[in-house]
Every structure is written in C-alpha cells, then in structure tokens.
Amino acid sequence: MIEFSKKFRSKQSEIMDDFELQGPEMKELMNDLRKVNKWLGGNKITLNAVSYLLEGHSKEKEITIIDLGCGDGEMLRQCATYGAMHGYKFKFIGIDFNPNILKEAIKKSESFSNISFLKTDVFSEGNSLPNCDIALATLFLHHFSNKKIELLVKQLSEKATIGVVVNDLERSRSAFVLFKVASEIFLKTKVARHDGLVSIARGFKKEELTLISKKIPNQHSSIQWRWAFRYKWILKKNI
C-alpha cells in the first residue's frame, strides 16, 4: 500500500532503486518513464532552465554539463541536440550508479561524441563528482532525504561555475490520483506504476525546497511551479 501525506515526504523506496534491475524489465521501464516524461513535458522544463543559465555566456567556450541520475541518457541527448541547434560547444557527463542502465545509456548515445558516462555514488566520500559549469538533477532528488539533498545541492553548487538545475515533482494529491488512474491504462510495467506513485509521495512542497535553498551559500535561487505538478528550481551562482 502506497501512502500519501500532504504534510510529510514519504520514506517508501522505489523498486528502480534496486541497482540489479536489468534486461527486458529495465528496458520496458525506461520506455514507460520516457513516455510519462513526454506526456508531462518534463524535459522541456530542464532545457528551458539550461537556456536561462546560458544567457550572456559565450558560445565559443566549451560548457560542461553533468546530469545526476542520468538513466539511459535521454536528457543529455536532448540537451546535445539543443546545443547543436543553437551553436553551443557542450561537453556532457551522465552520472548514475546502476551499471546496467549505464550500458543502455552508452549504447543509445553512440552517435553523440560529446556525451560520456560515469558510474559513481553521488554520496560517496572523496568528493567524487566532476567539476562542471551546469549540474542537472531531473527527477532525482526526491529519491533522498532532505538532509542528503541539502548536502548534495551544496556540493553541486560548489562544483558548478554557472548554476544548478533541479526539475522535480510536487507532492500533490491531485497528481497522485491522476497518475494512479492514467498509469493503469497507459503504462506497461508494474514497476513504473508503483514507482510513479511513490515518487509523487516523495515529492516536494515549495516551502520545503525554499527552506533547503536558504542553506545553500553563494547562489540566487528561483523556484517555480510548472505543469504537470513539477518544480523548476534554478540555483544561479553569484559571480
């Protein structure tokens, strides 16, 4: 039974957090997640935020973008296509801890010479995240506790010379109910149906993100609600 609370973020785990997920089940899950993101316009939110952060920056300089919890690399491929269309020199590093998903990401990104991937635990000791200009976290932070999110966003803000883009879920009962109905009709995998509900229950209220943002130094934070039941959180580095 997946519980939903307006007051508190859920502590339930998602099935896809099992790093042994692989094979046909993993591929079907990735297809379902891509389908949901396309319906809800999720990747456009991240691309819009990247475009905002790049305003005033030279297109002659190479811009390094890292993507935490990159999955099969779909977000990076869309960013690469955007960069090519607008004349940017982008270098991308996708970061994930699931080796099976990374194998799929490498395979799907073969035609993109500026995309590479790194297997690492973002919470491991030793400051394992690479330096970058922009850090992306799309539907990633809700997997973790507020304490871990604060630590990670602080680290990302230190690593990124331009800023950090967070695209994540609003904890909304309307979203919970709508997803429950739609997923039974349109999604193939039980994992996607289960994890989608857990993700919403682990999502955020704006005041929760605002509280975390106040603890991150040397940045200007902007948090905006976006359809469908998303928050676009941009942390622009103070220069």
Side-chain angles (χ1 to χ4, degrees):
M1 180 70 177
I2 301 171
E3 298 179 356
F4 178 91
S5 169
K6 290 182 69 175
K7 290 185 177 181
F8 305 105
R9 298 183 60 223
S10 171
K11 295 181 180 179
Q12 289 177 276
S13 299
E14 296 183 35
I15 297 171
M16 71 175 297
D17 286 338
D18 173 11
F19 298 125
E20 297 303 315
L21 191 67
Q22 58 184 305
E25 183 183 23
M26 182 192 73
K27 291 181 180 179
E28 285 189 359
L29 174 61
M30 290 295 105
N31 286 335
D32 270 351
L33 294 178
R34 192 179 304 109
K35 188 185 300 181
V36 171
N37 226 16
K38 186 175 181 180
W39 291 343
L40 304 182
N43 288 341
K44 291 180 181 179
I45 295 171
T46 298
L47 285 171
N48 176 268
V50 169
S51 176
Y52 166 77
L53 284 177
L54 289 173
E55 288 178 3
H57 286 270
S58 171
K59 294 185 178 181
E60 298 303 313
K61 179 188 174 184
E62 183 178 72
I63 301 292
T64 298
I65 298 177
I66 65 172
D67 183 21
L68 277 67
C70 66
D72 71 353
E74 175 67 18
M75 186 71 253
L76 292 179
R77 291 190 292 276
Q78 290 200 22
C79 283
T81 301
Y82 169 86
M85 289 176 60
H86 292 84
Y88 286 105
K89 296 179 180 179
F90 283 158
K91 174 184 175 183
F92 299 99
I93 304 172
I95 298 171
D96 210 292
F97 195 56
N98 186 325
N100 303 308
I101 286 180
L102 285 178
K103 287 180 182 178
E104 189 71 12
I106 291 169
K107 181 179 178 181
K108 288 185 174 181
S109 306
E110 286 177 346
S111 61
F112 294 85
S113 60
N114 58 344
I115 299 179
S116 62
F117 295 94
L118 176 65
K119 177 184 175 295
T120 191
D121 178 356
V122 298
F123 294 103
S124 64
E125 295 183 6
N127 208 13
S128 60
L129 293 175
N131 292 324
C132 62
D133 296 296
I134 296 174
L136 309 179
T138 300
L139 301 181
F140 183 64
L141 294 189
H142 71 261
H143 291 272
F144 309 108
S145 67
N146 288 354
K147 184 176 180 179
K148 281 192 170 183
I149 291 169
E150 182 184 333
L151 290 171
L152 180 58
V153 176
K154 277 184 178 178
Q155 185 180 359
L156 290 175
S157 187
E158 291 170 359
K159 292 282 187 177
T161 64
I162 298 176
V164 179
V165 174
V166 175
N167 172 358
D168 223 310
L169 298 167
E170 177 192 17
R171 190 170 70 256
S172 160
R173 186 170 294 279
S174 295
F176 190 84
V177 172
L178 287 170
F179 184 87
K180 193 170 187 177
V181 173
S183 65
E184 290 293 334
I185 300 172
F186 297 108
L187 299 185
K188 292 183 179 180
T189 61
K190 291 182 180 179
V191 175
R193 293 195 290 269
H194 172 275
D195 283 6
L197 291 173
V198 173
S199 293
I200 295 168
R202 290 184 65 95
F204 305 95
K205 294 296 184 181
K206 185 175 182 179
E207 55 267 28
E208 294 166 348
L209 296 178
T210 300
L211 186 61
I212 295 172
S213 73
K214 289 179 179 179
K215 299 178 182 179
I216 312 299
N218 194 34
Q219 53 81 27
H220 172 74
S221 184
S222 169
I223 303 170
Q224 298 175 317
W225 187 90
R226 288 290 181 264
W227 177 257
F229 305 102
R230 300 284 187 102
Y231 284 114
K232 180 177 71 173
W233 179 16
I234 301 175
L235 298 97
K236 188 173 184 180
K237 199 74 169 280
N238 289 333
I239 300 175

